[in-house]
Amino acid sequence: MKQSLLLLALCFTTLLWGQQRNRPNGNAQTVTVFGNVLDKDSNTPLEFATIALTNRNGDIVSGGITDAKGKYSIEVPAGVYSVRFEFISYKTETLENQRLFKNTRLSDILLSLDTESLDEVVVRAETTEVQIRLDKKVYTIGKDLTTSGATVSDALDNVPSVTVDVDGTIALRGNENVRILINGKPSAIAGFGSTDALRQLPAEAIEKVEVITSPSARYDAEGTAGILNIVLRKEKTLGLNGSLQTSFTYPLGSSATGNINVRTNKFNIFNTTGVRYRETPGNANFENRYFGDAINPLVIEDRDFDRLRRGFNTNLGIEYFLTKTSSVTASAFYRSGDNESTTTNITEEFSSDDDLAISRDRIETEEEDDSNFQFSLNYVNDFNPNGHKLTVDFQYETGDETETSLIEERNTFPDFEALPSENIIQKQDETEYLAQADYVLPIGENAQFEAGYRGRFENTLTDYLLEEQITPGGVFVRNDSLSNVFDFTQNVNALYTQYGNKLGKFSFLLGLRMESTVLKGEVTGEDVTTNDDFNVNFDKDFLGLFPTVNLVYELGERENISFGYNRRINRPRFWFLNPFPSRSSEANVFQGNPGLNPAYANAFDLGYLKRWGRKLTLTASVYYQYETDAFERVQEDTGQVTPNGIPIIRTIPINLSTNQRIGGEAAILYNPHKWLRFNGSFNFFRFETEGSFNGVDYGTENTSWFARGSTKITLPSKIDWQTNAFYRGPRNNAQTETEGIISVSMALSKDIINDNATIGFNVSDLFNSRKRQSFTETANFTSDSEFQWRERQFTLSFTYRFNQKKQRQRGGRNGGDFDGEGFEGTP
């Protein structure tokens, strides 16, 4: 895609000129010449390579371009021609004196990089670019200055259709039930069911992000919003090359990431290692008013978060090329974190006369140690260059996490008084196995059949221990009614098949996926065999069929419309099922619901793509989703009070009856000049929810929207300046109204040392305005709150590259490039 817009313009102009000057005689016999154009080093297809057929006078008689699979098919009057093959930054190849008097398949053309001309070619990947496939949109992240020294989570917040909330929650088109994959598979790199790990990985690791709003049957049916597939970089240049990236931030933080790659014609060894240290202060405040018999009806809480994050990650792998068409890749990934945080909660309780009755300090000191290990094996066999392919994957992952929290409280008004403390220890061990096989069989020139299997087997063991002091300063005693061990198992077996074809300007991909799900939960403890609200042990199984339909119709060479339909499932994760509460404060608890069942959704998507030369690209779509048994978090008064008389409010996930969502989005990429680049997107959606719980109606209607824009300007002395702005409109559910959020980031960048190094400076959340302000109202209480996960941040970064071009080239080898997965229509 880095060269495609330029090539489209060049090819279109050339073909028009050639066809007008040398229009074939209507009486002459016409033949078809076809074949493939491949990268010589990696044997992968070159999309948008140009082919020109010239007569003995050197005049262009006909020509064309290759599709996403490197294929071409050109009609030409019968005769003798020279056939010239060109691709930007590659050496031109010519087949002389080809006698074309019948339909002819030419031998595969292998183009090699023109190393002498690389420095003269300007192929800037500095703005996010988009490719449209039958089942996804592919965004090449490029050189986004605002994510220099940032994390993968930060980079995702700049991708159209994607939002990242202040607490790190990732949503697609406003829907938080999005499935996150790494290189096409679930991965410990992204964390087990949590997105916290994405805050520890550097943004520079990303090659591209695939936004899959209408997933084909090849992908998991999990995630009613769709799938985000993060494809990590893997250098494809021969020889020894690498880079080192360092950054320093304020509030205090630093990071260093290095990658090195050794590639020969027989093997490829790669390693990426990073360390990170970061302080991330935050804050929150709550104003809660209680109705009824509350002793002190007004409670105000002010919280300050002081977090320290230390992390290490490394990925080591070797790819061995068994033959020219097959390879096996073994890789190991390890990530560890050593985190500390102190939460200071100052609570003030006021009487009905608004007089201060009690003032209390609550300090929670938490230490968290976690680690994840993943080992992967990948085998790929390309039986022929036409796409006949077998891929087999095996993946083993294990992780452990230990959280230790000491909660100390004391009254500071009207009298100073120490209160009993709490000690919480939570240990979590996770194990996962994944086995997968995918088979692709081309049928003729344009058709393709696929079939495959995926098995994913997970187990999570959570040991929760709560110890409390009976009297201040006394010994800690185990709370047997809340301490427990929760053993959760989820096994998913899936089979799929799909068939795609291209008939002229029309392409389609039809698929069917069957998934069998087993969910098991068992709670053990001294006094937790029963629960007033739930059956704490469960064993459920579900079998579902998930059809998919994806269609594309080409209105022109640079214009198409697409349609997608798919059925999806949302399985509850283990923290949504664990029936025992975890406490963010003494009066606010989150409790899982083992009675939760999976939610199912039917989704429809109608899309449009239009390109005007290389300067302007527009994508737009409208979508509709109907979900049954949708999850919703509700808050309710438990009827219990703390030892200090404060009502305890419980947040719990439930199955509501239906959730309908309809929306539209548009995105523009505009590069009017070499020194000016702009991209922007807008997403508008409306959803309706119907359902009730414990006699309370939680039905609601909501309309919201979000927009983002990014402008990049090249200043004198080749200094790049980029500004990003994001706004998320107000939204609400049955109980809570949330105000709009605006955030602006700015960055500067300059290449130095003969363009082998880059120095950058950026400010994240320039106006310190990224705060979530919400108001919750129930029959028993109201809560007015403001939450800021991370305050404004300044970052200075330095990147040095050796034997590595700043402009990444096209092409890849098996096992590292997921752009070609599945049947693809011509963009």
Side-chain angles (χ1 to χ4, degrees):
M1 189 61 189
K2 306 176 185 66
Q3 302 95 343
S4 60
L5 295 178
L6 174 61
L7 285 173
L8 277 173
L10 292 175
C11 294
F12 189 70
T13 303
T14 301
L15 290 178
L16 281 180
W17 174 82
Q19 291 170 358
Q20 291 295 327
R21 182 176 178 183
N22 297 283
R23 188 175 298 276
N25 187 323
N27 297 324
Q29 178 188 359
T30 300
V31 299
T32 300
V33 57
F34 55 95
N36 300 314
V37 180
L38 309 171
D39 181 290
K40 184 176 181 179
D41 294 328
S42 63
N43 204 43
T44 55
L46 289 177
E47 184 180 7
F48 298 119
T50 62
I51 302 96
L53 288 87
T54 59
N55 59 23
R56 293 177 180 178
N57 297 325
D59 297 328
I60 298 177
V61 177
S62 186
I65 60 175
T66 56
D67 62 14
K69 298 180 181 179
K71 297 180 180 181
Y72 63 90
S73 179
I74 303 168
E75 291 187 354
V76 64
V80 179
Y81 299 96
S82 294
V83 188
R84 186 170 69 246
F85 301 86
E86 295 178 329
F87 190 71
I88 191 168
S89 78
Y90 282 71
K91 294 179 180 179
T92 299
E93 296 289 343
T94 304
L95 298 178
E96 303 286 356
N97 299 322
Q98 299 298 302
R99 299 179 59 82
L100 305 177
F101 292 99
K102 61 180 181 179
N103 294 344
T104 304
R105 176 186 178 89
L106 299 178
S107 59
D108 290 347
I109 300 301
L110 304 178
L111 299 184
S112 57
L113 285 169
D114 186 352
T115 56
E116 295 181 358
S117 66
L118 282 179
D119 293 334
E120 301 174 0
V121 177
V122 180
V123 185
R124 310 290 292 190
E126 297 177 343
T127 57
T128 300
E129 296 179 337
V130 61
Q131 288 179 312
I132 305 298
R133 297 295 185 235
L134 269 170
D135 56 354
K136 59 191 171 187
K137 295 177 183 177
V138 183
Y139 292 96
T140 303
I141 295 300
K143 185 188 173 187
D144 189 338
L145 306 185
T146 61
T147 61
S148 179
T151 67
V152 169
S153 182
D154 297 323
L156 288 177
D157 203 21
N158 289 339
V159 174
S161 305
V162 180
T163 56
V164 181
D165 206 351
V166 293
D167 55 2
T169 302
I170 297 172
L172 182 58
R173 293 173 167 175
N175 189 341
E176 297 177 3
N177 184 227
V178 56
R179 181 70 155 164
I180 297 184
L181 306 178
I182 301 290
N183 290 343
K185 297 185 291 293
S187 174
I189 300 176
F192 288 94
S194 169
T195 58
D196 289 343
L198 298 179
R199 292 177 170 177
Q200 299 184 26
L201 296 176
E204 289 77 17
I206 300 179
E207 175 73 20
K208 57 193 173 185
V209 175
E210 297 177 346
V211 179
I212 311 172
T213 53
S214 183
S216 69
R218 162 186 284 269
Y219 295 99
D220 282 341
E222 174 76 21
T224 55
I227 295 172
L228 290 179
N229 182 29
I230 301 170
V231 180
L232 303 181
R233 289 191 192 182
K234 185 168 150 186
E235 188 59 39
K236 307 171 182 73
T237 307
L238 289 174
L240 174 66
N241 55 81
S243 65
L244 175 66
Q245 197 273 340
T246 61
S247 69
F248 301 91
T249 63
Y250 176 82
L252 184 62
S254 62
S255 68
T257 301
N259 73 79
I260 190 169
N261 195 92
V262 180
R263 184 183 179 99
T264 70
N265 290 324
K266 198 63 180 174
F267 63 84
N268 183 28
I269 299 176
F270 51 93
N271 173 253
T272 299
T273 298
V275 292
R276 181 175 295 271
Y277 175 97
R278 179 162 295 178
E279 296 178 4
T280 55
N283 60 83
N285 60 74
F286 304 83
E287 183 177 307
N288 300 330
R289 291 187 178 272
Y290 299 93
F291 310 133
D293 299 328
I295 299 175
N296 297 313
L298 174 61
V299 178
I300 297 177
E301 296 183 31
D302 287 308
R303 298 181 192 172
D304 286 319
F305 306 98
D306 291 314
R307 308 182 193 89
L308 174 60
R309 299 287 186 259
R310 292 180 288 252
F312 169 82
N313 63 86
T314 185
N315 181 33
L316 176 63
I318 180 169
E319 181 179 15
Y320 185 75
F321 308 128
L322 302 172
T323 66
K324 291 183 178 181
T325 60
S326 64
S327 67
V328 60
T329 302
S331 64
F333 174 84
Y334 176 77
R335 178 180 62 84
S336 65
D338 180 10
N339 306 320
E340 300 174 8
S341 65
T342 300
T343 302
T344 303
N345 194 343
I346 300 176
T347 302
E348 295 179 325
E349 300 180 30
F350 295 85
S351 67
S352 57
D353 297 327
D354 289 339
D355 294 328
L356 179 63
I358 299 174
S359 179
R360 182 181 304 108
D361 291 350
R362 176 184 172 96
I363 300 176
E364 180 177 357
T365 304
E366 179 180 312
E367 295 183 357
E368 177 185 328
D369 295 317
D370 65 276
S371 64
N372 293 101
F373 173 76
Q374 171 185 296
F375 175 74
S376 301
L377 278 175
N378 167 264
Y379 169 76
V380 177
N381 192 338
D382 287 312
F383 298 106
N384 60 49
N386 296 325
H388 189 194
K389 182 178 182 179
L390 173 65
T391 305
V392 180
D393 292 282
F394 171 78
Q395 192 166 281
Y396 166 75
E397 307 177 34
T398 183
D400 62 82
E401 180 180 270
T402 300
E403 294 182 11
T404 302
S405 300
L406 176 62
I407 303 174
E408 300 172 292
E409 273 193 294
R410 62 186 180 186
N411 288 331
T412 58
F413 181 85
D415 300 312
F416 184 88
E417 178 188 9
L419 301 175
S421 299
E422 295 181 2
N423 190 41
I424 300 174
I425 301 175
Q426 178 171 291
K427 297 181 179 180
Q428 189 168 287
D429 295 306
E430 300 167 286
T431 304
E432 179 179 315
Y433 296 89
L434 182 144
Q436 179 176 336
D438 299 287
Y439 177 73
V440 181
L441 175 66
I443 304 173
E445 285 295 312
N446 297 316
Q448 184 168 289
F449 168 80
E450 295 185 55
Y453 162 81
R454 173 178 286 183
R456 188 181 183 197
F457 313 96
E458 308 171 64
N459 179 260
T460 303
L461 189 67
T462 304
D463 188 344
Y464 182 83
L465 172 64
L466 172 62
E467 298 177 324
E468 300 171 308
Q469 289 180 336
I470 304 301
T471 58
V475 298
F476 285 94
V477 178
R478 174 188 170 100
N479 184 323
D480 292 331
S481 63
L482 292 179
S483 300
N484 68 93
V485 177
F486 181 51
D487 190 346
F488 173 72
T489 297
Q490 176 177 281
N491 297 331
V492 180
N493 286 280
L495 293 170
Y496 80 91
T497 183
Q498 60 186 19
Y499 173 78
N501 204 340
K502 187 174 187 299
L503 306 172
K505 296 183 178 182
F506 176 71
S507 302
F508 67 86
L509 181 62
L510 308 177
L512 181 64
R513 187 178 186 91
M514 181 181 70
E515 292 193 349
S516 171
T517 303
V518 174
L519 298 177
K520 295 181 180 180
E522 182 179 1
V523 177
T524 57
E526 294 184 14
D527 191 26
V528 296
T529 55
T530 62
N531 185 286
D532 294 337
D533 296 319
F534 310 110
N535 179 9
V536 297
N537 299 325
F538 58 91
D539 186 350
K540 306 178 181 181
D541 61 87
F542 308 91
L543 181 66
L545 293 177
F546 303 92
T548 62
V549 177
N550 289 283
L551 313 173
V552 170
Y553 182 76
E554 300 171 27
L555 300 173
E557 187 177 3
R558 299 181 180 89
E559 184 179 18
N560 67 44
I561 57 175
S562 61
F563 171 80
Y565 161 77
N566 61 93
R567 185 172 188 255
R568 310 289 295 164
I569 184 175
N570 181 12
R571 301 181 183 91
R573 298 296 297 173
F574 69 89
W575 62 85
F576 265 32
L577 295 171
N578 190 339
F580 287 88
S582 59
R583 294 192 274 189
S584 57
S585 74
E586 192 176 23
N588 293 278
V589 302
F590 176 86
Q591 184 172 9
N593 177 4
L596 274 182
N597 290 318
Y600 295 90
N602 290 281
F604 303 84
D605 188 289
L606 181 64
Y608 174 75
L609 167 71
K610 174 70 174 178
R611 289 190 177 101
W612 290 267
R614 60 173 299 194
K615 291 186 177 182
L616 180 62
T617 300
L618 167 69
T619 61
S621 65
V622 293
Y623 52 88
Y624 171 77
Q625 183 183 86
Y626 182 84
E627 184 174 0
T628 58
D629 286 333
F631 302 162
E632 185 71 37
R633 302 183 192 189
V634 299
Q635 291 179 300
E636 60 178 7
D637 190 338
T638 62
Q640 302 174 345
V641 297
T642 69
N644 306 306
I646 300 176
I648 297 177
I649 304 302
R650 175 176 71 172
T651 299
I652 185 171
I654 62 173
N655 285 115
L656 288 179
S657 58
T658 63
N659 185 336
Q660 297 186 72
R661 182 183 298 265
I662 186 170
E665 63 180 352
I668 291 179
L669 303 171
Y670 183 45
N671 302 330
H673 305 285
K674 291 182 179 179
W675 55 270
L676 177 61
R677 293 163 291 278
F678 170 81
N679 69 72
S681 63
F682 176 83
N683 194 303
F684 173 88
F685 57 91
R686 173 181 176 82
F687 67 84
E688 300 178 6
T689 299
E690 297 178 0
S692 61
F693 180 70
N694 285 349
V696 178
D697 183 5
Y698 291 99
T700 185
E701 297 181 4
N702 179 34
T703 298
S704 188
W705 58 280
F706 61 87
R708 58 164 49 87
S710 176
T711 302
K712 191 169 182 183
I713 300 174
T714 301
L715 303 174
S717 301
K718 296 183 179 180
I719 297 175
D720 288 328
W721 175 22
Q722 181 174 327
T723 302
N724 289 1
F726 172 81
Y727 178 76
R728 178 169 182 167
R731 64 191 191 277
N732 67 274
N733 59 24
Q735 294 180 314
T736 303
E737 295 181 359
T738 303
E739 296 184 10
I741 298 175
I742 188 169
S743 177
V744 177
S745 299
M746 187 185 70
L748 295 169
S749 174
K750 166 70 175 172
D751 290 336
I752 57 177
I753 315 178
N754 297 323
D755 288 347
N756 288 318
T758 302
I759 187 169
F761 174 76
N762 70 66
V763 184
S764 175
D765 194 10
L766 180 65
F767 302 110
N768 205 36
S769 57
R770 193 174 174 85
K771 302 176 182 180
R772 183 175 61 207
Q773 296 175 311
S774 302
F775 180 76
T776 299
E777 183 175 11
T778 73
N780 301 316
F781 70 94
T782 63
S783 178
D784 199 349
S785 65
E786 179 181 277
F787 178 72
Q788 184 179 27
W789 171 264
R790 184 178 67 187
E791 299 173 3
R792 176 174 45 211
Q793 180 175 284
F794 301 86
T795 302
L796 179 67
S797 64
F798 174 78
T799 303
Y800 180 77
R801 300 170 290 273
F802 61 93
N803 297 334
Q804 191 178 82
K805 289 295 176 184
K806 185 171 122 178
Q807 297 86 10
R808 301 190 299 276
Q809 301 296 327
R810 286 183 59 88
R813 185 76 189 201
N814 305 328
D817 188 354
F818 288 80
D819 190 34
E821 285 194 352
F823 180 78
E824 298 174 347
T826 304

